[in-house]
CSV table of all heavy atoms in Angstrom, one decimal:
chain,number,residue,atom,x,y,z
A,1,MET,N,105.3,82.2,91.9
A,1,MET,CA,105.2,83.4,92.6
A,1,MET,C,103.8,83.8,92.7
A,1,MET,O,103.0,83.8,91.7
A,1,MET,CB,106.0,84.5,91.8
A,1,MET,CG,105.8,85.9,92.2
A,1,MET,SD,106.6,87.1,91.2
A,1,MET,CE,108.1,86.4,90.6
A,2,GLY,N,103.3,84.2,93.9
A,2,GLY,CA,101.9,84.7,94.1
A,2,GLY,C,101.7,86.1,93.6
A,2,GLY,O,102.7,86.9,93.3
A,3,PHE,N,100.5,86.5,93.6
A,3,PHE,CA,100.1,87.8,93.1
A,3,PHE,C,100.7,88.9,94.0
A,3,PHE,O,101.2,89.9,93.5
A,3,PHE,CB,98.7,88.0,93.0
A,3,PHE,CG,98.3,89.4,92.6
A,3,PHE,CD1,98.4,89.8,91.3
A,3,PHE,CD2,97.7,90.3,93.5
A,3,PHE,CE1,98.1,91.1,90.9
A,3,PHE,CE2,97.4,91.6,93.2
A,3,PHE,CZ,97.6,92.0,91.9
A,4,SER,N,100.7,88.7,95.3
A,4,SER,CA,101.2,89.7,96.2
A,4,SER,C,102.7,90.0,96.1
A,4,SER,O,103.2,91.1,96.1
A,4,SER,CB,100.9,89.4,97.7
A,4,SER,OG,101.4,88.1,98.1
A,5,GLU,N,103.5,88.9,95.9
A,5,GLU,CA,104.9,89.0,95.6
A,5,GLU,C,105.1,89.8,94.3
A,5,GLU,O,106.0,90.6,94.2
A,5,GLU,CB,105.6,87.7,95.6
A,5,GLU,CG,107.1,87.8,95.4
A,5,GLU,CD,107.8,86.5,95.4
A,5,GLU,OE1,107.2,85.5,95.7
A,5,GLU,OE2,109.0,86.5,95.2
A,6,TRP,N,104.4,89.4,93.2
A,6,TRP,CA,104.5,90.0,92.0
A,6,TRP,C,104.2,91.5,92.1
A,6,TRP,O,105.0,92.3,91.6
A,6,TRP,CB,103.6,89.4,90.9
A,6,TRP,CG,103.6,90.0,89.6
A,6,TRP,CD1,104.4,89.7,88.6
A,6,TRP,CD2,102.8,91.1,89.2
A,6,TRP,NE1,104.2,90.6,87.5
A,6,TRP,CE2,103.2,91.5,87.9
A,6,TRP,CE3,101.8,91.9,89.7
A,6,TRP,CZ2,102.6,92.5,87.1
A,6,TRP,CZ3,101.2,92.9,89.0
A,6,TRP,CH2,101.6,93.2,87.7
A,7,LEU,N,103.1,91.9,92.7
A,7,LEU,CA,102.7,93.3,92.9
A,7,LEU,C,103.8,94.0,93.7
A,7,LEU,O,104.2,95.2,93.3
A,7,LEU,CB,101.4,93.4,93.6
A,7,LEU,CG,100.9,94.8,93.8
A,7,LEU,CD1,100.7,95.5,92.4
A,7,LEU,CD2,99.5,94.8,94.6
A,8,TYR,N,104.3,93.5,94.7
A,8,TYR,CA,105.4,94.1,95.5
A,8,TYR,C,106.6,94.4,94.6
A,8,TYR,O,107.1,95.5,94.6
A,8,TYR,CB,105.7,93.2,96.7
A,8,TYR,CG,106.9,93.8,97.4
A,8,TYR,CD1,106.8,94.9,98.3
A,8,TYR,CD2,108.2,93.1,97.3
A,8,TYR,CE1,108.0,95.3,98.9
A,8,TYR,CE2,109.3,93.6,97.9
A,8,TYR,CZ,109.2,94.7,98.8
A,8,TYR,OH,110.3,95.2,99.4
A,9,ARG,N,107.0,93.4,93.9
A,9,ARG,CA,108.2,93.6,93.0
A,9,ARG,C,108.0,94.6,92.0
A,9,ARG,O,108.8,95.4,91.6
A,9,ARG,CB,108.6,92.2,92.4
A,9,ARG,CG,109.2,91.3,93.4
A,9,ARG,CD,109.6,90.0,92.7
A,9,ARG,NE,110.3,89.1,93.6
A,9,ARG,CZ,111.0,88.1,93.2
A,9,ARG,NH1,111.1,87.8,91.9
A,9,ARG,NH2,111.5,87.3,94.1
A,10,TYR,N,106.8,94.6,91.4
A,10,TYR,CA,106.4,95.6,90.4
A,10,TYR,C,106.4,97.0,91.0
A,10,TYR,O,107.0,97.9,90.4
A,10,TYR,CB,105.0,95.3,89.8
A,10,TYR,CG,104.5,96.3,88.8
A,10,TYR,CD1,105.0,96.2,87.5
A,10,TYR,CD2,103.5,97.2,89.1
A,10,TYR,CE1,104.6,97.1,86.6
A,10,TYR,CE2,103.0,98.1,88.2
A,10,TYR,CZ,103.6,98.0,86.9
A,10,TYR,OH,103.1,98.9,86.0
A,11,LEU,N,105.9,97.2,92.2
A,11,LEU,CA,105.8,98.5,92.7
A,11,LEU,C,107.2,99.0,93.3
A,11,LEU,O,107.4,100.3,93.4
A,11,LEU,CB,104.8,98.5,93.9
A,11,LEU,CG,103.4,98.4,93.4
A,11,LEU,CD1,102.4,98.3,94.6
A,11,LEU,CD2,103.0,99.5,92.5
A,12,ILE,N,108.1,98.2,93.6
A,12,ILE,CA,109.4,98.6,94.0
A,12,ILE,C,110.4,98.9,92.8
A,12,ILE,O,111.5,99.3,93.0
A,12,ILE,CB,110.1,97.7,95.0
A,12,ILE,CG1,110.4,96.3,94.4
A,12,ILE,CG2,109.3,97.6,96.3
A,12,ILE,CD1,111.3,95.4,95.3
A,13,GLY,N,109.9,98.6,91.6
A,13,GLY,CA,110.6,99.0,90.5
A,13,GLY,C,111.3,97.9,89.7
A,13,GLY,O,112.0,98.1,88.7
A,14,GLU,N,111.0,96.6,90.0
A,14,GLU,CA,111.5,95.6,89.1
A,14,GLU,C,110.6,95.4,87.9
A,14,GLU,O,109.4,95.7,87.9
A,14,GLU,CB,111.5,94.2,89.9
A,14,GLU,CG,112.5,94.1,91.0
A,14,GLU,CD,112.5,92.8,91.6
A,14,GLU,OE1,112.2,91.8,90.9
A,14,GLU,OE2,112.9,92.7,92.8
A,15,GLU,N,111.2,95.0,86.8
A,15,GLU,CA,110.5,94.8,85.6
A,15,GLU,C,109.8,93.4,85.6
A,15,GLU,O,110.4,92.4,85.3
A,15,GLU,CB,111.5,94.9,84.4
A,15,GLU,CG,112.0,96.3,84.3
A,15,GLU,CD,112.9,96.5,83.1
A,15,GLU,OE1,113.2,95.5,82.3
A,15,GLU,OE2,113.5,97.6,82.9
A,16,MET,N,108.6,93.4,85.9
A,16,MET,CA,107.8,92.2,86.0
A,16,MET,C,106.8,91.9,84.9
A,16,MET,O,106.2,90.9,84.9
A,16,MET,CB,107.0,92.2,87.4
A,16,MET,CG,107.9,92.4,88.6
A,16,MET,SD,109.1,91.0,88.8
A,16,MET,CE,108.1,89.6,89.1
A,17,ALA,N,106.6,92.8,84.0
A,17,ALA,CA,105.6,92.6,82.9
A,17,ALA,C,106.3,92.9,81.6
A,17,ALA,O,105.6,93.3,80.6
A,17,ALA,CB,104.4,93.6,83.2
A,18,GLY,N,107.5,92.6,81.4
A,18,GLY,CA,108.2,92.9,80.2
A,18,GLY,C,109.2,94.0,80.2
A,18,GLY,O,109.4,94.6,81.2
A,19,TRP,N,109.9,94.2,79.1
A,19,TRP,CA,111.0,95.1,79.1
A,19,TRP,C,110.5,96.5,79.3
A,19,TRP,O,109.4,96.9,78.8
A,19,TRP,CB,111.7,95.1,77.7
A,19,TRP,CG,112.8,96.0,77.6
A,19,TRP,CD1,114.1,95.8,78.1
A,19,TRP,CD2,112.9,97.3,76.9
A,19,TRP,NE1,114.8,96.9,77.8
A,19,TRP,CE2,114.1,97.8,77.1
A,19,TRP,CE3,111.9,98.0,76.2
A,19,TRP,CZ2,114.5,99.1,76.6
A,19,TRP,CZ3,112.2,99.2,75.7
A,19,TRP,CH2,113.5,99.7,75.9
A,20,ASP,N,111.2,97.3,80.1
A,20,ASP,CA,110.8,98.7,80.4
A,20,ASP,C,109.4,98.8,81.0
A,20,ASP,O,108.6,99.7,80.7
A,20,ASP,CB,110.9,99.6,79.2
A,20,ASP,CG,111.1,101.0,79.5
A,20,ASP,OD1,111.6,101.3,80.6
A,20,ASP,OD2,110.7,101.9,78.7
A,21,SER,N,109.0,97.9,81.9
A,21,SER,CA,107.7,97.9,82.5
A,21,SER,C,107.7,98.3,84.0
A,21,SER,O,106.7,98.3,84.7
A,21,SER,CB,107.1,96.5,82.4
A,21,SER,OG,107.8,95.6,83.2
A,22,ALA,N,108.9,98.7,84.5
A,22,ALA,CA,109.0,99.0,85.9
A,22,ALA,C,108.2,100.3,86.3
A,22,ALA,O,108.2,101.2,85.5
A,22,ALA,CB,110.5,99.2,86.3
A,23,ALA,N,107.6,100.3,87.4
A,23,ALA,CA,106.8,101.5,87.8
A,23,ALA,C,107.2,101.7,89.3
A,23,ALA,O,106.7,101.0,90.2
A,23,ALA,CB,105.3,101.2,87.7
A,24,PHE,N,108.0,102.7,89.5
A,24,PHE,CA,108.3,103.1,90.9
A,24,PHE,C,108.0,104.5,91.1
A,24,PHE,O,108.4,105.4,90.4
A,24,PHE,CB,109.8,102.9,91.2
A,24,PHE,CG,110.2,103.3,92.6
A,24,PHE,CD1,109.8,102.5,93.7
A,24,PHE,CD2,110.9,104.4,92.8
A,24,PHE,CE1,110.1,102.9,95.0
A,24,PHE,CE2,111.2,104.8,94.1
A,24,PHE,CZ,110.8,104.1,95.2
A,25,TYR,N,107.1,104.8,92.0
A,25,TYR,CA,106.6,106.1,92.3
A,25,TYR,C,107.1,106.5,93.8
A,25,TYR,O,106.7,105.8,94.7
A,25,TYR,CB,105.1,106.3,92.2
A,25,TYR,CG,104.6,105.8,90.9
A,25,TYR,CD1,104.1,104.6,90.6
A,25,TYR,CD2,104.8,106.7,89.8
A,25,TYR,CE1,103.6,104.2,89.4
A,25,TYR,CE2,104.3,106.3,88.5
A,25,TYR,CZ,103.8,105.1,88.3
A,25,TYR,OH,103.3,104.8,87.1
A,26,ARG,N,107.9,107.5,93.9
A,26,ARG,CA,108.3,107.9,95.2
A,26,ARG,C,107.2,108.5,96.0
A,26,ARG,O,106.2,109.0,95.5
A,26,ARG,CB,109.5,108.9,95.1
A,26,ARG,CG,110.6,108.4,94.3
A,26,ARG,CD,111.8,109.3,94.5
A,26,ARG,NE,113.0,108.7,93.8
A,26,ARG,CZ,113.8,107.7,94.2
A,26,ARG,NH1,113.6,107.2,95.4
A,26,ARG,NH2,114.7,107.3,93.5
A,27,GLY,N,107.4,108.5,97.3
A,27,GLY,CA,106.4,109.1,98.2
A,27,GLY,C,105.4,108.1,98.7
A,27,GLY,O,105.4,106.9,98.3
A,28,PRO,N,104.5,108.6,99.6
A,28,PRO,CA,103.5,107.6,100.2
A,28,PRO,C,102.4,107.3,99.2
A,28,PRO,O,102.2,108.1,98.2
A,28,PRO,CB,103.0,108.4,101.4
A,28,PRO,CG,103.2,109.8,101.0
A,28,PRO,CD,104.4,109.9,100.2
A,29,VAL,N,101.8,106.2,99.4
A,29,VAL,CA,100.6,105.8,98.5
A,29,VAL,C,99.5,106.6,98.9
A,29,VAL,O,99.2,106.9,100.1
A,29,VAL,CB,100.3,104.3,98.8
A,29,VAL,CG1,99.1,103.9,98.1
A,29,VAL,CG2,101.5,103.4,98.4
A,30,GLN,N,98.8,107.1,97.9
A,30,GLN,CA,97.5,107.9,98.1
A,30,GLN,C,96.3,107.1,97.8
A,30,GLN,O,96.2,106.5,96.8
A,30,GLN,CB,97.5,109.1,97.2
A,30,GLN,CG,96.3,110.0,97.3
A,30,GLN,CD,96.2,111.1,96.3
A,30,GLN,OE1,97.0,111.2,95.5
A,30,GLN,NE2,95.1,111.8,96.4
A,31,LEU,N,95.4,107.0,98.8
A,31,LEU,CA,94.2,106.2,98.6
A,31,LEU,C,93.1,107.3,98.5
A,31,LEU,O,93.0,108.2,99.3
A,31,LEU,CB,94.0,105.3,99.8
A,31,LEU,CG,95.1,104.3,100.1
A,31,LEU,CD1,94.8,103.6,101.4
A,31,LEU,CD2,95.2,103.3,99.0
A,32,GLU,N,92.1,107.0,97.6
A,32,GLU,CA,91.0,107.9,97.5
A,32,GLU,C,89.7,107.1,97.6
A,32,GLU,O,89.5,106.2,96.9
A,32,GLU,CB,91.0,108.6,96.1
A,32,GLU,CG,90.0,109.6,95.9
A,32,GLU,CD,90.1,110.4,94.6
A,32,GLU,OE1,91.2,111.0,94.4
A,32,GLU,OE2,89.2,110.3,93.8
A,33,TYR,N,88.9,107.4,98.6
A,33,TYR,CA,87.7,106.7,98.9
A,33,TYR,C,86.5,107.5,98.3
A,33,TYR,O,86.3,108.7,98.6
A,33,TYR,CB,87.4,106.6,100.4
A,33,TYR,CG,88.5,105.8,101.1
A,33,TYR,CD1,89.5,106.4,101.8
A,33,TYR,CD2,88.5,104.4,101.0
A,33,TYR,CE1,90.5,105.6,102.4
A,33,TYR,CE2,89.5,103.6,101.6
A,33,TYR,CZ,90.5,104.2,102.3
A,33,TYR,OH,91.5,103.5,102.9
A,34,PRO,N,85.8,106.9,97.4
A,34,PRO,CA,84.6,107.6,96.8
A,34,PRO,C,83.5,107.9,97.8
A,34,PRO,O,83.4,107.2,98.8
A,34,PRO,CB,84.2,106.7,95.7
A,34,PRO,CG,84.6,105.4,96.0
A,34,PRO,CD,85.9,105.6,96.9
A,35,PRO,N,82.6,108.9,97.5
A,35,PRO,CA,81.5,109.1,98.4
A,35,PRO,C,80.6,107.9,98.6
A,35,PRO,O,80.4,107.2,97.6
A,35,PRO,CB,80.8,110.3,97.8
A,35,PRO,CG,81.5,110.7,96.6
A,35,PRO,CD,82.6,109.7,96.3
A,36,THR,N,80.1,107.7,99.8
A,36,THR,CA,79.3,106.5,100.0
A,36,THR,C,77.8,106.8,99.9
A,36,THR,O,77.0,106.0,100.0
A,36,THR,CB,79.6,105.9,101.3
A,36,THR,OG1,79.4,106.9,102.4
A,36,THR,CG2,81.0,105.3,101.4
A,37,GLY,N,77.5,108.1,99.8
A,37,GLY,CA,76.1,108.5,99.7
A,37,GLY,C,76.0,109.9,99.2
A,37,GLY,O,76.9,110.6,99.1
A,38,PRO,N,74.8,110.4,98.9
A,38,PRO,CA,74.6,111.7,98.5
A,38,PRO,C,75.0,112.8,99.5
A,38,PRO,O,74.8,112.6,100.7
A,38,PRO,CB,73.1,111.8,98.2
A,38,PRO,CG,72.4,110.6,98.8
A,38,PRO,CD,73.5,109.6,99.1
A,39,GLY,N,75.6,113.8,99.1
A,39,GLY,CA,76.0,114.9,100.0
A,39,GLY,C,77.4,114.6,100.7
A,39,GLY,O,77.8,115.5,101.4
A,40,GLN,N,78.0,113.5,100.5
A,40,GLN,CA,79.3,113.2,101.1
A,40,GLN,C,80.4,113.5,100.1
A,40,GLN,O,80.2,113.5,98.9
A,40,GLN,CB,79.3,111.7,101.5
A,40,GLN,CG,78.4,111.4,102.7
A,40,GLN,CD,78.6,110.0,103.2
A,40,GLN,OE1,79.3,109.2,102.6
A,40,GLN,NE2,78.0,109.7,104.3
A,41,ARG,N,81.5,113.8,100.7
A,41,ARG,CA,82.7,114.1,99.9
A,41,ARG,C,83.7,113.0,99.7
A,41,ARG,O,83.7,112.0,100.5
A,41,ARG,CB,83.4,115.3,100.5
A,41,ARG,CG,82.5,116.5,100.7
A,41,ARG,CD,83.2,117.6,101.5
A,41,ARG,NE,84.3,118.2,100.6
A,41,ARG,CZ,85.1,119.1,101.0
A,41,ARG,NH1,85.0,119.6,102.3
A,41,ARG,NH2,86.0,119.6,100.3
A,42,THR,N,84.5,113.1,98.7
A,42,THR,CA,85.6,112.1,98.6
A,42,THR,C,86.6,112.2,99.7
A,42,THR,O,87.0,113.4,100.0
A,42,THR,CB,86.2,112.3,97.2
A,42,THR,OG1,85.2,112.1,96.2
A,42,THR,CG2,87.3,111.3,96.9
A,43,GLN,N,87.1,111.2,100.2
A,43,GLN,CA,88.1,111.2,101.3
A,43,GLN,C,89.4,110.7,100.7
A,43,GLN,O,89.5,109.8,99.9
A,43,GLN,CB,87.7,110.3,102.5
A,43,GLN,CG,86.4,110.8,103.2
A,43,GLN,CD,86.0,109.9,104.3
A,43,GLN,OE1,86.6,108.8,104.5
A,43,GLN,NE2,85.1,110.3,105.1
A,44,GLU,N,90.5,111.3,101.2
A,44,GLU,CA,91.8,110.9,100.8
A,44,GLU,C,92.6,110.5,102.0
A,44,GLU,O,92.4,111.1,103.1
A,44,GLU,CB,92.5,112.1,100.1
A,44,GLU,CG,92.0,112.5,98.8
A,44,GLU,CD,92.8,113.6,98.1
A,44,GLU,OE1,93.7,114.1,98.7
A,44,GLU,OE2,92.5,113.9,96.9
A,45,ALA,N,93.4,109.5,101.9
A,45,ALA,CA,94.3,109.0,102.9
A,45,ALA,C,95.6,108.7,102.3
A,45,ALA,O,95.7,108.3,101.2
A,45,ALA,CB,93.7,107.7,103.5
A,46,TYR,N,96.7,108.8,103.1
A,46,TYR,CA,98.0,108.6,102.7
A,46,TYR,C,98.7,107.5,103.5
A,46,TYR,O,98.5,107.5,104.8
A,46,TYR,CB,98.9,109.9,102.7
A,46,TYR,CG,98.3,111.0,101.8
A,46,TYR,CD1,97.4,111.9,102.2
A,46,TYR,CD2,98.7,111.0,100.5
A,46,TYR,CE1,96.9,112.9,101.4
A,46,TYR,CE2,98.3,112.0,99.6
A,46,TYR,CZ,97.4,112.9,100.0
A,46,TYR,OH,96.9,113.9,99.2
A,47,GLY,N,99.4,106.6,102.9
A,47,GLY,CA,100.1,105.6,103.6
A,47,GLY,C,101.4,106.1,104.1
A,47,GLY,O,101.8,107.3,103.9
A,48,PRO,N,102.2,105.3,104.8
A,48,PRO,CA,103.5,105.7,105.3
A,48,PRO,C,104.5,105.9,104.1
A,48,PRO,O,104.3,105.4,103.0
A,48,PRO,CB,103.9,104.5,106.2
A,48,PRO,CG,103.2,103.3,105.6
A,48,PRO,CD,101.9,103.9,105.1
A,49,GLU,N,105.6,106.6,104.4
A,49,GLU,CA,106.6,106.7,103.5
A,49,GLU,C,107.2,105.3,103.1
A,49,GLU,O,107.2,104.4,104.0
A,49,GLU,CB,107.8,107.6,104.0
A,49,GLU,CG,107.4,109.0,104.1
A,49,GLU,CD,107.3,109.7,102.8
A,49,GLU,OE1,108.0,109.3,101.8
A,49,GLU,OE2,106.5,110.7,102.7
A,50,ARG,N,107.5,105.1,101.9
A,50,ARG,CA,107.9,103.8,101.4
A,50,ARG,C,109.3,103.4,102.0
A,50,ARG,O,109.5,102.3,102.3
A,50,ARG,CB,107.9,103.7,99.9
A,50,ARG,CG,106.5,103.9,99.4
A,50,ARG,CD,106.5,103.6,97.9
A,50,ARG,NE,105.2,104.0,97.4
A,50,ARG,CZ,104.8,103.5,96.3
A,50,ARG,NH1,105.5,102.7,95.5
A,50,ARG,NH2,103.5,103.8,95.9
A,51,GLY,N,110.2,104.3,102.0
A,51,GLY,CA,111.5,104.0,102.5
A,51,GLY,C,112.3,103.0,101.8
A,51,GLY,O,113.1,102.2,102.3
A,52,MET,N,112.1,102.9,100.5
A,52,MET,CA,112.8,101.8,99.7
A,52,MET,C,113.8,102.5,98.8
A,52,MET,O,113.7,103.5,98.3
A,52,MET,CB,111.7,101.1,98.8
A,52,MET,CG,110.7,100.3,99.6
A,52,MET,SD,109.6,99.6,98.4
A,52,MET,CE,108.2,99.4,99.4
């Protein structure tokens, strides 16, 4: 199994790293981009609804 498949299964709630290791968070994924220079603000972006 490749890393992308493992990560997908982990994020949809399967126990991939041992007993009681599932991590499923409802809602869209939140991405936070740090400032790229002085005087700039942190930017936030949201992904689509997961629908899983």
